[in-house]
Amino acid sequence: MAVAVAGVGAALALADVDSSLRGPFTLFFLLAAPGAAVGAALRGLDPFARTVVSVAGAIAVDLLVAQGMLAVHRWSVPGGVVAVTAISSLALLLVLVRRLRVRTTRRRTS
């Protein structure tokens, strides 16, 4: 359900649809996407610490994207959503590659 809400939020922001749900759903996406990426990278922490660090990481990613876009005078909501999506996707991809590499190494040594 959370993935669907986040996806709808990103789609509403990118399509520039005038809806009362656009703001809350887009905000949820902007917190959930980088939060999930940071949380996936921190498998060794206990659940509470992982949640706190994931939320803090999501806020940091959002603020860094906003600051970078403002610094180069290219601020836009769709641009911010695309940038956060790209950073979150890259982080998740790196986590998956690392897990596959560890799994492959374990199979070769066994």
Side-chain angles (χ1 to χ4, degrees), residues 17-39:
V17 175
D18 288 331
S19 170
S20 61
L21 297 176
R22 177 182 171 190
F25 283 12
T26 303
L27 179 62
F28 181 76
F29 170 77
L30 290 174
L31 290 175
V38 171

Side-chain angles (χ1 to χ4, degrees), residues 18-78:
D18 288 331
S19 170
S20 61
L21 297 176
R22 177 182 171 190
F25 283 12
T26 303
L27 179 62
F28 181 76
F29 170 77
L30 290 174
L31 290 175
V38 171
L42 301 173
R43 286 179 40 184
L45 293 177
D46 63 297
F48 180 72
R50 190 174 175 182
T51 302
V52 170
V53 173
S54 295
V55 170
I59 292 170
V61 167
D62 291 339
L63 289 175
L64 287 171
V65 166
Q67 183 178 2
M69 291 178 75
L70 286 171
V72 296
H73 304 289
R74 297 286 185 226
W75 172 251
S76 70
V77 173

Side-chain angles (χ1 to χ4, degrees), residues 10 14 29-30 33-34 61-62 65 78-92:
L14 291 174
F29 170 77
L30 290 174
V61 167
D62 291 339
V65 166
V81 169
V82 169
V84 169
T85 303
I87 292 169
S88 301
S89 299
L90 180 62
L92 280 173

